[in-house]
Amino acid sequence: MDHTPHNTLKPLKDKNGLTEEQFLASYKPGNYERPSVAADMVIFTVTDAEEENYRKLAEKELRILLIRRGGHPYLGCWALPGGFVRPTETTEQAAARELREETGVSEVYLEQLYTFSQPDRDPRTWVMSCSYMALIDSSRVQVKAGDDADEAAWFQASFRLKEQNGRHEIWALTLSHEDIFMQALLEKETGAPFTESTISDSGSLAFDHARILAYAFERLRGKLNYTDLALHLMPEYFTLTQLQQVYEVVLDKELPAAAFRRKAAPLVTETDNYTENEGHRPSRLYRKNQEDSEKQG
């Protein structure tokens, strides 16, 4: 039996005769090209559309936060909020920091989407974008532009199939705010994810942010079918009709009320409170089912 103390064993050497300590001492990171890493945010919220008739239930609008770039490249173009990851933080910490700096909110739903790493996606240098999706209750938001932006604004957003020819699809991403209107076009094969799509028209969006937005829409819509994700867009108290409106504006389709209420029943908890001063018959208010949410999480 070998009774040699462990600390007297000779250190392992590589094919060049170097120990790990020697290898690390002579290692030169500059010998290898390294990408910069950014964290870009797709921040969704849902707001009430302006309604002249106070007796009519307000329609919902899906909105996305964009910032107008204040410097090169893409000076003056609209882009997703984001920035470079600092050496002292993870990509998720960078995303949370950007979210807090742009909206003033923290502790909201945050999910990593995908790492976009096409070599030519940024004209400055090799930049990989670790993208994130955040869902925010609009009543909590205070928008402010960061240091590298001239302006920040919530754009009404829609994403629809525009044309299909066999297995070839063209999708339209439409964004509007006051007198600003942009439409980006993306092409892909049927069944392929939007991470593999081609941007045929960027619609004046910076970088490849049209592709990131398209994939965020795909992720959000997909997860609405089997999670309570939409509830992160709701205030603390809401009616079932308001919740259905949020599902419909995200999915871009009408849902049968009876079927929706059956689907929503396990996700919400009934309260003893009712709507007030809304010009129509009071409706019961609900809140997120915390127990069910914890099981899903």
Side-chain angles (χ1 to χ4, degrees):
M1 181 179 295
D2 184 7
H3 295 286
T4 305
H6 179 73
N7 59 6
T8 64
L9 293 176
K10 292 182 179 180
L12 293 175
K13 295 185 179 182
D14 64 12
K15 60 184 179 182
N16 295 317
L18 299 176
T19 64
E20 182 175 311
E21 184 178 4
Q22 292 169 331
F23 168 79
L24 292 176
S26 62
Y27 184 78
K28 294 181 174 57
N31 290 344
Y32 304 92
E33 285 196 61
R34 292 176 292 170
S36 297
V37 180
D40 291 311
M41 299 288 302
V42 180
I43 307 173
F44 286 107
T45 195
V46 174
T47 61
D48 288 337
E50 292 185 8
E51 181 56 62
E52 295 181 0
N53 183 355
Y54 83 101
R55 293 184 178 275
K56 184 178 179 182
L57 191 65
E59 296 292 329
K60 300 293 184 184
E61 294 177 344
L62 182 65
R63 294 187 179 271
I64 292 171
L65 185 66
L66 296 179
I67 59 103
R68 191 195 297 274
R69 289 186 55 77
H72 294 298
Y74 296 100
L75 176 63
C77 290
W78 290 93
L80 294 171
F84 288 106
V85 180
R86 297 170 180 170
T88 57
E89 61 188 1
T90 65
T91 56
E92 185 163 345
Q93 289 170 336
R97 171 176 53 79
E98 291 289 341
L99 176 65
R100 186 171 58 254
E101 290 175 356
E102 298 290 352
T103 67
V105 300
S106 57
E107 297 182 359
V108 299
Y109 182 84
L110 186 64
E111 172 182 339
Q112 185 175 334
L113 287 171
Y114 190 78
T115 300
F116 291 83
S117 57
Q118 290 85 347
D120 59 350
R121 60 175 305 277
D122 191 310
R124 291 170 293 191
T125 186
W126 181 18
V127 179
M128 299 169 63
S129 171
C130 192
S131 60
Y132 286 80
M133 173 176 70
L135 306 180
I136 300 180
D137 164 22
S138 61
S139 66
R140 298 182 57 189
V141 174
Q142 298 175 349
V143 176
K144 53 185 178 180
D147 294 338
D148 59 347
D150 283 344
E151 184 182 352
W154 287 103
F155 279 72
Q156 186 177 351
S158 69
F159 188 55
R160 295 172 180 169
L161 179 62
K162 180 181 177 68
E163 183 181 325
Q164 185 166 13
N165 183 7
R167 292 185 54 81
H168 182 72
E169 299 176 353
I170 300 177
W171 287 75
L173 172 67
T174 304
L175 302 160
S176 60
H177 171 68
E178 296 179 347
D179 60 344
I180 303 170
F181 179 86
M182 298 182 288
Q183 186 175 82
L185 299 177
L186 298 100
E187 303 183 30
K188 72 178 188 70
E189 294 297 307
T190 301
F194 280 97
T195 53
E196 299 176 8
S197 63
T198 299
I199 302 172
S200 55
D201 185 342
S202 68
S204 298
L205 281 170
F207 306 103
D208 58 350
H209 289 184
R211 184 184 293 114
I212 298 176
L213 279 164
Y215 185 65
F217 263 97
E218 182 177 49
R219 173 75 65 85
L220 179 58
R221 287 173 174 173
K223 294 193 79 168
L224 251 58
N225 293 320
Y226 63 92
T227 72
D228 67 349
L229 213 57
L231 292 169
H232 293 281
L233 296 165
M234 307 301 296
E236 184 178 4
Y237 297 102
F238 50 85
T239 68
L240 288 182
T241 300
Q242 290 168 340
L243 181 59
Q244 181 173 340
Q245 285 181 307
V246 169
Y247 270 81
E248 289 177 338
V249 76
V250 173
L251 297 172
D252 196 24
K253 64 180 181 181
E254 292 186 7
L255 302 172
F260 174 79
R261 287 177 179 250
R262 287 194 298 271
K263 178 180 179 178
L267 307 179
V268 299
T269 299
E270 187 179 279
T271 75
D272 294 328
N273 301 324
Y274 290 81
T275 56
E276 297 178 357
N277 304 321
E278 292 195 357
H280 47 76
R281 182 180 176 183
S283 300
R284 185 181 292 276
L285 292 171
Y286 293 76
R287 64 186 303 172
K288 183 177 181 178
N289 186 340
Q290 299 295 336
E291 182 179 337
D292 184 76
S293 176
E294 290 169 5
K295 289 179 181 177
Q296 289 196 47

